[in-house]
Amino acid sequence: LLISLIFIILITMVSAKIGIEYYCDVTKSECKSVDNSMTTLEDVYFIDVDVFFYQYPEEKTNSMLAALALECADAQGAFDEYKEVLVGDTSYLREDLKIIANDLDLAESNFSFCLDSRERAFKLNEDIERGENIGVTTNPTVFIHGEKLEGLMSYEEYEAIVKEKLGFDE
């Protein structure tokens, strides 16, 4: 009986979680702001919220190249660290992206090969296609428990929607 009760409580806790997906271009200043908001939401509501980031670069060369570099960093287990640098104020030229990888102690030859050969382009294309399939057309776009929010909003606005979705009284 005790095991059944614990199982029911765990299922209730898991099902109470809400998902947040956000799509953005790491070269845009709006992405830095929304990324900070999502990180804070995930930290504050870690029990109730799961946050997922998807790349949605614009078709300009530097955006696509920076997005691909992020996928190459991910191949070496440095997605979060590399993303943190990218959403900062940085250059998105090929050589600068390689310098960032070097500064993060990524294997230089692997990273360079990945970037130059576009080895991880399939992963980037998965994010873009996923976004297009659910109607992403604007950077950034955030989905909080299925509700689509286009354009940049403040942390407080995102938080109010999360609280509403969770049923928290203000």
Side-chain angles (χ1 to χ4, degrees):
L1 181 65
L2 181 60
I3 293 174
S4 296
L5 183 59
I6 291 171
F7 180 74
I8 291 170
I9 290 170
L10 288 174
I11 293 297
T12 303
M13 287 173 56
V14 169
S15 64
K17 278 197 165 206
I18 64 168
I20 299 176
E21 294 182 3
Y22 69 107
Y23 295 77
C24 68
D25 179 340
V26 293
T27 67
K28 296 182 67 111
S29 61
E30 294 88 349
C31 188
K32 180 178 183 176
S33 180
V34 75
D35 194 63
N36 289 337
S37 293
M38 296 302 120
T39 299
T40 303
L41 283 171
E42 191 168 37
D43 290 345
V44 172
Y45 298 96
F46 66 95
I47 292 175
D48 302 306
V49 171
D50 284 325
V51 177
F52 303 95
F53 166 77
Y54 296 96
Q55 297 204 75
Y56 200 76
E58 293 182 350
E59 291 295 324
K60 59 184 186 178
T61 304
N62 288 350
S63 291
M64 293 298 280
L65 189 60
L68 183 59
L70 182 54
E71 295 302 335
C72 292
D74 185 38
Q76 294 189 44
F79 186 88
D80 291 332
E81 298 86 351
Y82 201 91
K83 183 174 133 221
E84 187 175 319
V85 176
L86 286 183
V87 297
D89 297 319
T90 189
S91 166
Y92 304 104
L93 300 175
R94 181 176 302 278
E95 289 310 311
D96 294 326
L97 295 169
K98 290 179 180 182
I99 290 170
I100 293 168
N102 190 46
D103 290 346
L104 293 174
D105 294 325
L106 301 182
E108 183 178 346
S109 60
N110 293 354
F111 184 86
S112 291
F113 176 79
C114 177
L115 190 61
D116 295 338
S117 70
R118 302 185 47 82
E119 178 180 67
R120 303 260 311 172
F122 74 93
K123 175 66 177 93
L124 177 57
N125 289 333
E126 286 175 0
D127 280 9
I128 294 168
E129 287 176 18
R130 178 183 173 83
E132 288 173 349
N133 289 338
I134 60 173
V136 174
T137 58
T138 303
N139 258 305
T141 297
V142 177
F143 292 88
I144 299 179
H145 202 56
E147 182 178 340
K148 182 179 179 181
L149 309 164
E150 295 181 309
L152 185 60
M153 296 170 58
S154 69
Y155 170 78
E156 293 76 20
E157 291 171 303
Y158 292 126
E159 183 181 39
I161 294 167
V162 165
K163 284 180 174 182
E164 174 190 316
K165 299 289 184 190
L166 289 170
F168 291 174
D169 295 327
E170 293 215 22

